Amino acid sequence: MTTELEQLAARLREFAKVREWERFHTPKNLAMALAGEVGELVAEFQWLTAEESGDPDPETLARIRTELGDVTLYLVRLADVLGVDLVAAARAKLDDNDRRYDADLYRGSARKAPPAS
């Protein structure tokens, strides 16, 4: 069974192929483009208060949605080019965080855990 993420990766792969963009979609270029899009997403929040960021006006939310789409597309494309299963990578990271951040020790705290050994 093909997941929605796999379908999105396949669509992006075809999108790049028909435009002959594969040669530009190197991991370095995709990572740089991803960083740029994350910057554009951050810019949408830059001057909002904490309260405003949790309930943006409809126009701001539309721009945020667009930037989230851009970030997602570059992230999925980068993972596809590198052969990384994004869902498996996220699950592994969450498992690692679950081990590193014991709920009893970190509940209500924003402190960082020591580096994994």
Side-chain angles (χ1 to χ4, degrees), residues 1-4 6-7:
M1 179 163 90
T2 304
T3 67
E4 287 187 51
E6 290 167 333
Q7 291 171 0

Side-chain angles (χ1 to χ4, degrees), residues 20-55:
E20 297 180 357
W21 287 354
E22 297 102 325
R23 65 188 167 144
F24 306 116
H25 286 192
T26 64
K28 177 199 75 77
N29 287 353
L30 290 167
M32 291 175 72
L34 175 60
E37 293 301 337
V38 169
E40 291 178 19
L41 175 61
V42 169
E44 291 300 330
F45 290 96
Q46 186 170 8
W47 304 114
L48 300 180
T49 66
E51 293 77 24
E52 289 168 335
S53 72
D55 187 24

Side-chain angles (χ1 to χ4, degrees), residues 77-94:
R77 182 69 176 134
L78 176 58
D80 186 50
V81 166
L82 290 172
V84 172
D85 180 330
L86 269 178
V87 174
R91 285 183 177 141
K93 181 60 180 173
L94 187 54

